[in-house]
Amino acid sequence: MLILLQDINNSGDGGIYAELIQNRAFQYSQNYSVSTDHYFSVNGAALSIQMLDEPLSKQLPASMRVSVGNGSYNTGKIGFKNEGYWGMDVRVQTYTGSFWVKGAYDGVFTASLESNLTSDVFGSVEVPSKSVADDWTEHTFELVPERDAPNSNNTFSITFDSAAASALDFNLISLFPPTYKNRKNGLRIDIAEALADMNPKVLRFPGGNMLEGLRNDSYWDWKDSLGPLRYRPGFQGVWGYQQTHGLGLMEYLEWSEDMGLEIVLGVWAGLALDGGVTPQEDLQPFIEDALNEIEFVCGPANSTWGARRAELGHPEPFELNYVEVGNEDWLAGFPGGWESYRAYRFPLFYNAISKAYPNIQVIASAASSDPGGEPPLYGPNNVNGQVLPLDALGDYHPYREPDELVYEFNRFDNDAGHIVGEVAATHVNGGIRWEGDLYPYPWWIGAVGEAVSLIGYERNSDRIPATFYAPVLKNNNRFQWPITLLQYDADPKRTTKAVTWYCWSLFAHHPISHTLPTHSNSSYGPLYWGAGYDENRNGAKVWKGAVYNTTNSADVPVSVQFQGVAPGTMANLTVLTNSVGDPYMYNDPFTGINIVNTTYTLLTAGSDGAFHFSMPELSVAVLDTEVSSAGNSTGHYRRRI
Ligand code: AHR
């Protein structure tokens, strides 16, 4: 069970990246203009963007001037407040902050967390000024509120004495709550823990479309995302907002390390979302750039880019076994993008990476059935599909109606190896698919459809080593893609696990290392199943099943017999059902009600050696002979995919 993370739906900035200040460094790009958005004046101060001759850095050329306004208030404390990513969670805990100032000021700054609704100030701290006229100076502080705020409608403010300085320039204003595993510049704890609780094993990053960029001159350049925040220019996001680059390559790698995740690293392959293709004669620098990126991740500390990683605090190479060349190269700029990928872009990247890193598994960004059209193609497309070198994998992205996912149960029974780099039930059955909107949240029948497809992929896991849900996160205040595993806003109390989270998590908590051949008296449908054993858990036997579309919604009787499992052996049966009946229901963050009903039953193999039980219509189940696995909710089974 694996996750794709790119910054979509404010899943990075304003999501898993824990920074609380929105627009902290006034970053901008061709598509997103510079502004003081998300800042508000305190006591009539005038806020304006300045492009100073001496900016904080070449990468951060814009800053915000805070000066005595024209209004009536021109003495005492003035300043600004920031609304965060649509609010801020304020609790009695240590917040770590910093800001840079230019301008002579002999006094103190006051940094406060306060209500946006009332005059309540939950905590503040005085930060002595080090600020001088002709240089930028960093100020750091810790702020521990005296009490919790009753809601997340809060702001962060900085004020200074206008009698001592009538105008000061500010930049890189940052505030972090405690982070996942205490990483500096780290992850938001509740979101990271909700993902970790699924027992994921692989992280695919940085996209997705984000990797591709809007144009050839603005793809996600990993080098821009390294080092001190002061030197990160930000990224022209592809999902409607400017990004900070705070969640950079090192942060993704540390995240993988902290959750024990295998990495699938996407490298840019010369195609942008506007269809711009890099001609063959210009491609070599990008191939070298990808090799440098790989060296940064897994090269020894005495290699050029390994040394850069060591300089950033991680001399030990990260383990890197999978590199994907591009993203969905069959889609943007079709047919030119696709033709160039097949003709020279993929072969040149593939050859260079395989030669330099023979142990790395190279993945193409398309499947044997791409370019997928309408209706989707279900099997190898020997005319137009990806032609894979023998030892490369493809990548399949089925965003489908649940019926289609079920129909594709045997999609990979006779095909080359692939990852399923993105999959989700996105549209209801029989609808108008991409002509219409995605469903507002993952819904129950969609989750069961996904479960059927997961079983289909897992029973082919010799060739389908990894399946990724995508996209995984959504900030309810600004999003483009509603179907996600987790929804959240500034208030962690509203962080909501979608119904799909429960199905994927159940399967991920019962891993198998080897599939087992299965025999049955009946064919697949309405019951779909697969079985295996896990050598990492003393050979525990596992059966996974999902029931989809029974006649008259009748229960399905199930008997599971494992070869070598004697009568009297015990197994734990976990069954997920929908407690409200309506297959279109979902977990709504605004009600907080979880509609997924989970039951655990200890079963004993009968005299025939079989486990007997029944499954209701639209249910998902796992039978596991490691009985201590019952109710297991945190990951402890780890292995390479
Ligand atoms: O997951 C959302 C988007 O869908 C991905 O960025 C892209 O690869 C796919 O088209």
Side-chain angles (χ1 to χ4, degrees):
M1 161 36 226
L2 316 137
I3 45 187
L4 163 71
L5 206 286
Q6 61 172 322
D7 202 333
I8 178 174
N9 299 329
N10 280 97
S11 53
D13 293 333
I16 198 164
Y17 180 53
E19 173 66 82
L20 291 174
I21 306 298
Q22 185 161 197
N23 193 17
R24 69 180 175 193
F26 314 101
Q27 290 156 305
Y28 61 96
S29 52
Q30 185 176 333
N31 278 44
Y32 311 108
S33 49
V34 66
S35 78
T36 58
D37 286 356
H38 310 290
Y39 290 88
F40 301 91
S41 162
V42 172
N43 289 335
L47 310 182
S48 63
I49 291 294
Q50 302 289 318
M51 308 297 282
L52 301 179
D53 290 343
E54 291 168 346
L56 177 57
S57 65
K58 182 163 60 79
Q59 292 81 358
L60 298 180
S63 50
M64 179 170 74
R65 177 158 298 168
V66 181
S67 52
V68 172
N70 295 328
S72 52
Y73 194 95
N74 57 9
T75 56
K77 293 254 179 187
I78 61 167
F80 60 86
K81 57 185 177 180
N82 184 281
E83 65 172 343
Y85 288 92
W86 308 285
M88 287 182 198
D89 176 43
V90 176
R91 278 182 273 170
V92 182
Q93 57 185 0
T94 303
Y95 292 79
T96 309
S98 57
F99 55 95
W100 291 76
V101 188
K102 184 166 180 289
Y105 176 47
D106 187 10
V108 293
F109 296 98
T110 305
S112 308
L113 280 164
E114 52 209 23
S115 171
N116 195 34
L117 299 171
T118 67
S119 56
D120 285 337
V121 177
F122 302 108
S124 58
V125 64
E126 303 227 309
V127 186
S129 172
K130 298 186 278 178
S131 189
V132 294
D134 48 9
D135 204 0
W136 285 94
T137 316
E138 187 178 25
H139 298 74
T140 59
F141 62 91
E142 286 190 347
L143 198 173
V144 183
E146 284 138 32
R147 60 197 167 98
D148 293 354
N151 55 56
S152 59
N153 199 340
N154 305 306
T155 60
F156 170 72
S157 72
I158 293 181
T159 57
F160 58 93
D161 183 358
S162 66
S166 60
L168 292 172
D169 293 306
F170 287 81
N171 207 346
L172 198 44
I173 302 136
S174 174
L175 187 70
F176 277 81
T179 58
Y180 185 66
K181 307 249 168 155
N182 286 322
R183 285 275 186 193
K184 191 169 189 292
N185 198 41
L187 307 182
R188 182 171 142 174
I189 290 175
D190 63 312
I191 295 177
E193 284 182 345
L195 287 178
D197 282 353
M198 296 182 76
N199 202 23
K201 295 191 174 54
V202 190
L203 184 67
R204 175 175 170 243
F205 66 86
N209 294 144
M210 183 175 113
L211 170 71
E212 299 170 75
L214 294 175
R215 293 174 291 276
N216 274 349
D217 61 1
S218 64
Y219 64 95
W220 195 85
D221 187 335
W222 59 281
K223 300 182 294 306
D224 287 344
S225 76
L226 300 178
L229 300 180
R230 182 181 182 181
Y231 302 116
R232 301 191 196 185
F235 175 65
Q236 176 173 266
V238 307
W239 294 105
Y241 52 95
Q242 175 70 30
Q243 295 171 19
T244 65
H245 255 147
L247 188 63
L249 179 55
M250 264 311 258
E251 285 75 22
Y252 279 112
L253 295 169
E254 287 167 345
W255 167 2
S256 309
E257 184 169 85
D258 288 346
M259 284 191 200
L261 303 175
E262 180 92 46
I263 296 162
V264 172
L265 177 71
V267 296
W268 194 69
L271 174 70
L273 290 170
D274 69 349
V277 172
T278 307
Q280 183 165 354
E281 60 273 22
D282 297 337
L283 201 60
Q284 189 55 29
F286 298 106
I287 295 172
E288 278 159 27
D289 195 60
L291 294 175
N292 291 342
E293 183 174 4
I294 294 168
E295 184 177 277
F296 178 87
V297 176
C298 67
N302 61 4
S303 62
T304 308
W305 284 99
R308 175 82 173 116
R309 184 195 64 240
E311 187 186 301
L312 296 176
H314 205 289
E316 279 304 305
F318 293 92
E319 188 177 330
L320 180 63
N321 298 304
Y322 298 89
V323 171
E324 179 160 7
V325 178
N327 177 67
E328 293 188 342
D329 285 82
W330 50 274
L331 188 55
F334 184 82
W338 179 231
E339 284 165 3
S340 63
Y341 192 72
R342 296 212 310 176
Y344 64 87
R345 290 191 298 113
F346 180 69
L348 289 174
F349 274 91
Y350 168 81
N351 288 338
I353 296 169
S354 307
K355 186 166 168 223
Y357 296 93
N359 295 329
I360 285 182
Q361 171 70 66
V362 179
I363 304 171
S365 75
S368 59
S369 51
D370 287 328
E374 292 281 347
L377 299 168
Y378 293 111
N381 166 359
N382 295 326
V383 179
N384 294 316
Q386 172 70 51
V387 182
L388 292 159
L390 276 183
D391 60 348
L393 295 176
D395 182 359
Y396 187 51
H397 290 183
Y399 290 112
R400 299 278 190 268
E401 296 177 4
D403 273 359
E404 293 172 321
L405 290 173
V406 173
Y407 182 78
E408 287 194 5
F409 178 68
N410 61 359
R411 164 69 183 80
F412 286 110
D413 286 2
N414 297 293
D415 202 349
H418 286 72
I419 62 167
V420 180
E422 301 177 23
V423 56
T426 44
H427 297 87
V428 294
N429 289 329
I432 49 175
R433 308 187 80 251
W434 296 100
E435 299 304 315
D437 291 338
L438 276 63
Y439 208 59
Y441 296 98
W443 69 111
W444 183 247
I445 192 172
V448 180
E450 286 171 16
V452 172
S453 70
L454 288 179
I455 295 167
Y457 305 141
E458 190 169 57
R459 75 196 186 104
N460 284 300
S461 53
D462 55 332
R463 280 164 297 114
I464 311 297
T467 300
F468 299 76
Y469 192 93
V472 291
L473 302 176
K474 176 178 96 185
N475 188 314
N476 288 318
N477 287 291
R478 181 169 64 197
F479 60 87
Q480 300 74 31
W481 189 291
I483 298 285
T484 55
L485 288 177
L486 291 170
Q487 299 88 36
Y488 54 84
D489 58 33
D491 186 346
K493 290 196 283 299
R494 279 192 292 268
T495 297
T496 301
K497 295 167 176 164
V499 293
T500 38
W501 186 98
Y502 290 90
C503 295
W504 283 66
S505 180
L506 174 65
F507 282 1
H509 278 96
H510 297 273
I512 57 171
S513 57
H514 296 75
T515 52
L516 286 168
T518 59
H519 308 280
S520 174
N521 298 335
S522 53
S523 51
Y524 294 114
L527 176 65
Y528 299 83
W529 71 87
Y533 70 93
D534 192 7
E535 66 185 6
N536 303 300
R537 295 187 290 131
N538 298 321
K541 305 278 197 306
V542 181
W543 176 92
K544 297 180 184 178
V547 171
Y548 187 93
N549 220 358
T550 66
T551 309
N552 298 325
S553 299
D555 288 4
V556 177
V558 186
S559 300
V560 177
Q561 194 172 13
F562 295 106
Q563 208 170 38
V565 167
T569 301
M570 304 199 74
N572 170 56
L573 175 70
T574 309
V575 181
L576 305 184
T577 50
N578 161 9
S579 63
V580 293
D582 178 353
Y584 291 93
M585 276 301 287
Y586 45 77
N587 285 350
D588 184 337
F590 300 101
T591 65
I593 297 166
N594 175 20
I595 66 154
V596 182
N597 184 45
T598 307
T599 60
Y600 305 102
T601 314
L602 215 47
L603 297 180
T604 307
S607 54
D608 55 355
F611 298 94
H612 301 280
F613 54 96
S614 73
M615 288 179 63
E617 161 68 332
L618 295 179
S619 60
V620 177
V622 170
L623 182 74
D624 192 322
T625 62
E626 188 194 41
V627 290
S628 64
S629 64
N632 185 10
S633 67
T634 51
H636 62 269
Y637 313 124
R638 299 280 180 208
R639 82 168 64 88
R640 207 186 136 183
I641 57 173

